[in-house]
Amino acid sequence: MNIGEIAKRAGVSRSTVSYALSGKRSVTEETRRKIQRVIDELGYRPNASARALANGRTSTIGLVFPPAGNHYTGMQLDFIGSVVEAAAVHDYDVLLSPSGVDSDRSFQRLLGERRVDGAILMEIRLEDDRVEHLAELDFPSVAIGRTAHPESGWWVSLDHTALAAACVHHLADLGHRRVAFVNRPEQLLQAGYESAHRGLDGFTKAAAERGLTVRTYCCGDDAASGQACVERILHDDPATTALVTLNEAALGGLYRGLARAGRHVPRDFSVTGIVASRWAETVTPQLTAADVPAEEMGRRAVDLLVERIEQPAAPGRHHLLTPPISLRASTGPATGTPIP
């Protein structure tokens, strides 16, 4: 079934059918209804590629999201799902590209073949060539995360600096004096991942402000790495009584390592961090954490991107989110420390 057959059955020209479908030119209400009746009878659906050629839009957005390691973590999958759901509200499909740098073939195909109307970039680095490349092309894009110079860009981000600091202050208020920081994997820190760097910066500065004794660790995105990380923490400083983590994928392993070391949470050891609520609530005891609002961030990113697509000349806009710490059951007073 094609436009020619619809035109024949409706008794109009092919161009009239095209105008009625695209809305580029007005047709009379009687003609539009006649064409629609034929379309409904035949069950016609316009070819997406042809429609894109006709109106210059694909009704598809790209999600440029490299997995941090060999697989997507649970939090990453939450973000993917949130973007897909938010895009559907705007009648957009989502094309996933696992691109890490702008030289990746997947990324270049996305742009060179104009497969999408705009792109959302994930796993942002402080110096990110993808963000810079799209800005140079004036290609509609929104980042979930911030580069080192985000002032004029389009982005949605968590304030990892403030959130990590809030976790430190929470532990310090409970009397903890020796605290560890469990970051993302070493290769991500070296690559300049902004969440890893800003979280570390917030932790370090807040710990210095409160006069805490601290150690920082990089940890792989899996439970086995989390368990091994706890073993290192307790080996390096057995007097450690608490930790802050950015690594939700290692969370189960952190708990397991503490249990195997005979540290009861929260009686002997407190755990907190920056983790999506869905994951914070899967461990026992449930994690006191600054909850990552993945659904809200995905929705806001899609809303901004649709705005960019529809208003190319609009000035940059962004959202910096600082959710409060949700007090659950994984933190308590440091052993022997009375809390007023």
Side-chain angles (χ1 to χ4, degrees), residues 25 43 67 97 140 204 257 278 303 308 324:
R25 295 188 187 179
S97 170
T204 303
R278 184 161 77 87
D303 288 346
R308 279 208 75 179

Coordinates of all heavy atoms in Angstrom, one line a residue, residues 25 43 67 97 140 204 257 278 303 308 324:
R25 N 1.0 21.7 3.6 CA 0.0 22.6 3.0 C -1.4 22.2 3.4 O -1.6 21.1 3.7 CB 0.1 22.6 1.4 CG 1.4 23.1 0.9 CD 1.3 23.2 -0.6 NE 2.6 23.5 -1.2 CZ 2.8 23.6 -2.6 NH1 1.8 23.4 -3.4 NH2 4.0 23.9 -3.0
G43 N -5.7 0.5 6.4 CA -4.8 0.2 7.5 C -3.4 0.7 7.1 O -2.4 0.2 7.5
P67 N 28.6 1.5 27.9 CA 28.7 0.8 29.2 C 30.0 1.1 29.8 O 31.0 1.2 29.2 CB 28.5 -0.7 28.8 CG 29.0 -0.7 27.4 CD 28.6 0.6 26.7
S97 N 23.3 4.1 21.1 CA 24.6 4.0 20.6 C 25.6 3.8 21.7 O 25.7 4.7 22.5 CB 25.0 5.2 19.7 OG 26.3 5.2 19.4
P140 N 21.5 19.2 17.7 CA 20.8 19.2 19.0 C 21.2 18.1 19.9 O 21.1 16.9 19.5 CB 19.3 19.0 18.5 CG 19.3 19.5 17.1 CD 20.6 19.1 16.5
T204 N 36.5 14.6 49.6 CA 37.8 15.0 50.1 C 37.7 16.3 50.9 O 38.2 16.5 52.0 CB 38.8 15.1 49.0 OG1 38.9 13.8 48.3 CG2 40.2 15.5 49.5
G257 N 31.3 -8.2 52.0 CA 32.6 -8.1 52.6 C 32.6 -7.7 54.1 O 33.3 -8.3 54.9
R278 N 15.9 2.5 44.1 CA 15.5 1.1 43.9 C 16.7 0.1 44.3 O 16.4 -1.0 44.8 CB 15.3 0.9 42.4 CG 14.8 -0.5 42.0 CD 14.1 -0.5 40.7 NE 15.0 -0.4 39.6 CZ 15.6 -1.5 39.0 NH1 15.4 -2.7 39.5 NH2 16.4 -1.3 38.0
D303 N 12.9 16.2 27.7 CA 12.2 17.5 27.5 C 13.1 18.6 26.9 O 12.7 19.3 26.0 CB 11.6 17.9 28.8 CG 10.4 17.0 29.3 OD1 9.9 16.3 28.5 OD2 10.1 17.2 30.5
R308 N 15.1 21.7 22.2 CA 16.2 22.1 21.3 C 15.9 21.8 19.9 O 16.2 22.6 19.0 CB 17.5 21.3 21.7 CG 18.3 21.9 22.8 CD 19.8 21.6 22.7 NE 20.4 22.4 21.7 CZ 21.7 22.4 21.4 NH1 22.5 21.5 22.0 NH2 22.2 23.1 20.5
P324 N 17.9 15.2 48.6 CA 18.3 15.1 50.0 C 18.7 13.6 50.3 O 18.4 12.7 49.5 CB 17.0 15.5 50.8 CG 15.9 15.1 49.8 CD 16.4 15.4 48.4

